[in-house]
Amino acid sequence: DQQVKQNSPSLSVQEGRISILNCDYTNSMFDYFLWYKKYPAEGPTFLISISSIKDKNEDGRFTVFLNKSAKHLSLHIVPSQPGDSAVYFCAASGTETSGSRLTFGEGTQLTVNP
Amino acid sequence: GAVVSQHPSWVICKSGTSVKIECRSLDFQATTMFWYRQFPKQSLMLMATSNEGSKATYEQGVEKDKFLINHASLTLSTLTVTSAHPEDSSFYICSAREPSPGGYEQYFGPGTRLTVT
C-alpha cells in the first residue's frame, strides 16, 4: 500500500527554467509534508516542509504547494541549476502521536541540463 | 540545520559475521532516531524507530533479532546486523528528529554502505 506516490521517476529541465516535482498521497491523516534531496551514496538532505494548515511555503528558490482536497503537493524550483540534479523525495507524516514516522515516495530523479 | 553522523560510511564483511553501525546527533539531543534501508533506485524503507531508554519499535517484516537497535543515550543509536548474509547488503541510513514545536523534520546521516560477501 503505497501511501505516498511520486509518479514521475525522472524529470529533465533546462538550466534557468522551472522544475516542478509532484507528489500524491492517500492517507488523509497526513498533516505535515516534507521534501528531501538526495545524492547517490549520501543521506537525504531536508529542503522544505509544509503543514496542512497552509497551502504554500516558500524558501528561496524552493516553493512547496499543497492541495489538500486533491491530496497533492508539488515542489517548484526556480530557477533550476545544474547543482539541483539529484533524487527528490517527498515525505509525509501524521500527528504527533504517530511518533513522527515519515512515509516516503519513490523519488524523482531531476536532471538540470546546462 | 542539525547534523547527524554515521560510522562507518562503508563496510565489507563476511557472511555470518555481525556489523555495528553508529548514528550520532552532533549538535542536538534526539529522543527518537530512525533507521532506514534503501535498495538501489528504490525509496527509503523505515526499518525501526529507536527510542532513547526503551525498546525500538520495528516495522512489519523487519526481524528484531537480526537487526538489533540500541539507543543508549540522547545522541547515539546503534544498529547491529547480526549473522549478516549477502541479501543484507544495502544502504542503511539513520535519521534523528530535532525537537521543535510543531516540527517533524528529520535530519539524516550520510548513510552506511554494507556489503556482505
Side-chain angles (χ1 to χ4, degrees), chain B residues 32-45:
Chain B
T32 303
M33 291 184 173
F34 303 86
W35 287 95
Y36 295 83
R37 182 174 180 178
Q38 185 185 27
F39 293 102
K41 298 187 178 181
Q42 292 189 25
S43 184
L44 289 82
M45 299 301 297

PDB file of all heavy atoms in Angstrom, chain B residues 32-45:
ATOM      1  N   THR B  32      14.379  10.434  19.716  1.00  0.00           N
ATOM      2  CA  THR B  32      13.928   9.456  18.725  1.00  0.00           C
ATOM      3  C   THR B  32      14.835   9.480  17.507  1.00  0.00           C
ATOM      4  O   THR B  32      15.120  10.549  16.968  1.00  0.00           O
ATOM      5  CB  THR B  32      12.485   9.747  18.282  1.00  0.00           C
ATOM      6  OG1 THR B  32      11.631   9.753  19.425  1.00  0.00           O
ATOM      7  CG2 THR B  32      11.992   8.674  17.310  1.00  0.00           C
ATOM      8  N   MET B  33      15.285   8.329  17.133  1.00  0.00           N
ATOM      9  CA  MET B  33      16.050   8.178  15.906  1.00  0.00           C
ATOM     10  C   MET B  33      15.376   7.100  15.072  1.00  0.00           C
ATOM     11  O   MET B  33      14.653   6.257  15.590  1.00  0.00           O
ATOM     12  CB  MET B  33      17.501   7.809  16.195  1.00  0.00           C
ATOM     13  CG  MET B  33      18.308   8.936  16.844  1.00  0.00           C
ATOM     14  SD  MET B  33      20.049   8.462  17.053  1.00  0.00           S
ATOM     15  CE  MET B  33      20.742  10.005  17.621  1.00  0.00           C
ATOM     16  N   PHE B  34      15.633   7.147  13.785  1.00  0.00           N
ATOM     17  CA  PHE B  34      15.006   6.211  12.862  1.00  0.00           C
ATOM     18  C   PHE B  34      16.083   5.529  12.020  1.00  0.00           C
ATOM     19  O   PHE B  34      17.079   6.135  11.656  1.00  0.00           O
ATOM     20  CB  PHE B  34      14.030   6.941  11.937  1.00  0.00           C
ATOM     21  CG  PHE B  34      12.946   7.704  12.661  1.00  0.00           C
ATOM     22  CD1 PHE B  34      13.171   9.005  13.093  1.00  0.00           C
ATOM     23  CD2 PHE B  34      11.720   7.127  12.909  1.00  0.00           C
ATOM     24  CE1 PHE B  34      12.191   9.713  13.757  1.00  0.00           C
ATOM     25  CE2 PHE B  34      10.723   7.824  13.574  1.00  0.00           C
ATOM     26  CZ  PHE B  34      10.962   9.115  13.999  1.00  0.00           C
ATOM     27  N   TRP B  35      15.838   4.278  11.698  1.00  0.00           N
ATOM     28  CA  TRP B  35      16.739   3.538  10.821  1.00  0.00           C
ATOM     29  C   TRP B  35      15.995   3.159   9.552  1.00  0.00           C
ATOM     30  O   TRP B  35      14.905   2.582   9.592  1.00  0.00           O
ATOM     31  CB  TRP B  35      17.273   2.293  11.519  1.00  0.00           C
ATOM     32  CG  TRP B  35      18.298   2.609  12.575  1.00  0.00           C
ATOM     33  CD1 TRP B  35      18.097   2.765  13.911  1.00  0.00           C
ATOM     34  CD2 TRP B  35      19.698   2.845  12.356  1.00  0.00           C
ATOM     35  NE1 TRP B  35      19.275   3.081  14.536  1.00  0.00           N
ATOM     36  CE2 TRP B  35      20.272   3.128  13.604  1.00  0.00           C
ATOM     37  CE3 TRP B  35      20.532   2.827  11.218  1.00  0.00           C
ATOM     38  CZ2 TRP B  35      21.642   3.401  13.771  1.00  0.00           C
ATOM     39  CZ3 TRP B  35      21.878   3.094  11.375  1.00  0.00           C
ATOM     40  CH2 TRP B  35      22.419   3.381  12.634  1.00  0.00           C
ATOM     41  N   TYR B  36      16.639   3.482   8.417  1.00  0.00           N
ATOM     42  CA  TYR B  36      16.070   3.191   7.116  1.00  0.00           C
ATOM     43  C   TYR B  36      17.021   2.307   6.331  1.00  0.00           C
ATOM     44  O   TYR B  36      18.222   2.252   6.589  1.00  0.00           O
ATOM     45  CB  TYR B  36      15.852   4.480   6.309  1.00  0.00           C
ATOM     46  CG  TYR B  36      14.832   5.433   6.871  1.00  0.00           C
ATOM     47  CD1 TYR B  36      15.164   6.337   7.867  1.00  0.00           C
ATOM     48  CD2 TYR B  36      13.533   5.458   6.380  1.00  0.00           C
ATOM     49  CE1 TYR B  36      14.241   7.223   8.379  1.00  0.00           C
ATOM     50  CE2 TYR B  36      12.591   6.351   6.873  1.00  0.00           C
ATOM     51  CZ  TYR B  36      12.961   7.231   7.877  1.00  0.00           C
ATOM     52  OH  TYR B  36      12.038   8.110   8.372  1.00  0.00           O
ATOM     53  N   ARG B  37      16.440   1.698   5.324  1.00  0.00           N
ATOM     54  CA  ARG B  37      17.234   0.889   4.402  1.00  0.00           C
ATOM     55  C   ARG B  37      16.813   1.283   2.990  1.00  0.00           C
ATOM     56  O   ARG B  37      15.626   1.504   2.739  1.00  0.00           O
ATOM     57  CB  ARG B  37      16.927  -0.591   4.649  1.00  0.00           C
ATOM     58  CG  ARG B  37      17.701  -1.565   3.819  1.00  0.00           C
ATOM     59  CD  ARG B  37      17.389  -2.983   4.280  1.00  0.00           C
ATOM     60  NE  ARG B  37      18.126  -3.961   3.510  1.00  0.00           N
ATOM     61  CZ  ARG B  37      18.086  -5.270   3.718  1.00  0.00           C
ATOM     62  NH1 ARG B  37      17.335  -5.762   4.703  1.00  0.00           N
ATOM     63  NH2 ARG B  37      18.780  -6.082   2.959  1.00  0.00           N
ATOM     64  N   GLN B  38      17.783   1.407   2.112  1.00  0.00           N
ATOM     65  CA  GLN B  38      17.445   1.782   0.749  1.00  0.00           C
ATOM     66  C   GLN B  38      18.116   0.841  -0.226  1.00  0.00           C
ATOM     67  O   GLN B  38      19.346   0.665  -0.201  1.00  0.00           O
ATOM     68  CB  GLN B  38      17.871   3.219   0.428  1.00  0.00           C
ATOM     69  CG  GLN B  38      17.408   3.665  -0.947  1.00  0.00           C
ATOM     70  CD  GLN B  38      17.911   5.018  -1.349  1.00  0.00           C
ATOM     71  OE1 GLN B  38      18.962   5.445  -0.897  1.00  0.00           O
ATOM     72  NE2 GLN B  38      17.161   5.703  -2.207  1.00  0.00           N
ATOM     73  N   PHE B  39      17.316   0.220  -1.067  1.00  0.00           N
ATOM     74  CA  PHE B  39      17.829  -0.591  -2.155  1.00  0.00           C
ATOM     75  C   PHE B  39      18.007   0.317  -3.374  1.00  0.00           C
ATOM     76  O   PHE B  39      17.372   1.368  -3.477  1.00  0.00           O
ATOM     77  CB  PHE B  39      16.881  -1.746  -2.467  1.00  0.00           C
ATOM     78  CG  PHE B  39      16.804  -2.763  -1.358  1.00  0.00           C
ATOM     79  CD1 PHE B  39      15.722  -2.794  -0.489  1.00  0.00           C
ATOM     80  CD2 PHE B  39      17.824  -3.684  -1.178  1.00  0.00           C
ATOM     81  CE1 PHE B  39      15.664  -3.727   0.540  1.00  0.00           C
ATOM     82  CE2 PHE B  39      17.768  -4.621  -0.160  1.00  0.00           C
ATOM     83  CZ  PHE B  39      16.685  -4.630   0.707  1.00  0.00           C
ATOM     84  N   PRO B  40      18.861  -0.095  -4.296  1.00  0.00           N
ATOM     85  CA  PRO B  40      19.123   0.754  -5.463  1.00  0.00           C
ATOM     86  C   PRO B  40      17.847   1.179  -6.181  1.00  0.00           C
ATOM     87  O   PRO B  40      16.965   0.349  -6.435  1.00  0.00           O
ATOM     88  CB  PRO B  40      20.002  -0.141  -6.346  1.00  0.00           C
ATOM     89  CG  PRO B  40      20.688  -1.048  -5.388  1.00  0.00           C
ATOM     90  CD  PRO B  40      19.684  -1.306  -4.300  1.00  0.00           C
ATOM     91  N   LYS B  41      17.750   2.453  -6.445  1.00  0.00           N
ATOM     92  CA  LYS B  41      16.639   3.034  -7.200  1.00  0.00           C
ATOM     93  C   LYS B  41      15.290   2.789  -6.539  1.00  0.00           C
ATOM     94  O   LYS B  41      14.261   2.730  -7.219  1.00  0.00           O
ATOM     95  CB  LYS B  41      16.649   2.511  -8.641  1.00  0.00           C
ATOM     96  CG  LYS B  41      17.904   2.896  -9.405  1.00  0.00           C
ATOM     97  CD  LYS B  41      17.824   2.525 -10.857  1.00  0.00           C
ATOM     98  CE  LYS B  41      19.083   2.987 -11.587  1.00  0.00           C
ATOM     99  NZ  LYS B  41      19.045   2.673 -13.029  1.00  0.00           N
ATOM    100  N   GLN B  42      15.292   2.645  -5.244  1.00  0.00           N
ATOM    101  CA  GLN B  42      14.041   2.494  -4.519  1.00  0.00           C
ATOM    102  C   GLN B  42      13.951   3.536  -3.413  1.00  0.00           C
ATOM    103  O   GLN B  42      14.906   4.233  -3.110  1.00  0.00           O
ATOM    104  CB  GLN B  42      13.923   1.085  -3.932  1.00  0.00           C
ATOM    105  CG  GLN B  42      13.770   0.004  -4.980  1.00  0.00           C
ATOM    106  CD  GLN B  42      13.436  -1.344  -4.360  1.00  0.00           C
ATOM    107  OE1 GLN B  42      12.878  -1.413  -3.268  1.00  0.00           O
ATOM    108  NE2 GLN B  42      13.768  -2.413  -5.053  1.00  0.00           N
ATOM    109  N   SER B  43      12.783   3.620  -2.829  1.00  0.00           N
ATOM    110  CA  SER B  43      12.569   4.600  -1.772  1.00  0.00           C
ATOM    111  C   SER B  43      13.220   4.149  -0.473  1.00  0.00           C
ATOM    112  O   SER B  43      13.716   3.019  -0.359  1.00  0.00           O
ATOM    113  CB  SER B  43      11.076   4.806  -1.572  1.00  0.00           C
ATOM    114  OG  SER B  43      10.843   5.814  -0.619  1.00  0.00           O
ATOM    115  N   LEU B  44      13.241   5.044   0.472  1.00  0.00           N
ATOM    116  CA  LEU B  44      13.741   4.697   1.795  1.00  0.00           C
ATOM    117  C   LEU B  44      12.657   3.924   2.539  1.00  0.00           C
ATOM    118  O   LEU B  44      11.519   4.368   2.634  1.00  0.00           O
ATOM    119  CB  LEU B  44      14.089   5.950   2.595  1.00  0.00           C
ATOM    120  CG  LEU B  44      15.314   6.738   2.162  1.00  0.00           C
ATOM    121  CD1 LEU B  44      14.998   7.657   1.008  1.00  0.00           C
ATOM    122  CD2 LEU B  44      15.864   7.537   3.321  1.00  0.00           C
ATOM    123  N   MET B  45      13.044   2.786   3.065  1.00  0.00           N
ATOM    124  CA  MET B  45      12.105   1.960   3.805  1.00  0.00           C
ATOM    125  C   MET B  45      12.433   2.025   5.285  1.00  0.00           C
ATOM    126  O   MET B  45      13.542   1.675   5.692  1.00  0.00           O
ATOM    127  CB  MET B  45      12.171   0.514   3.311  1.00  0.00           C
ATOM    128  CG  MET B  45      11.811   0.354   1.849  1.00  0.00           C
ATOM    129  SD  MET B  45      10.150   0.950   1.470  1.00  0.00           S
ATOM    130  CE  MET B  45       9.158  -0.160   2.463  1.00  0.00           C
TER     131      MET B  45
END
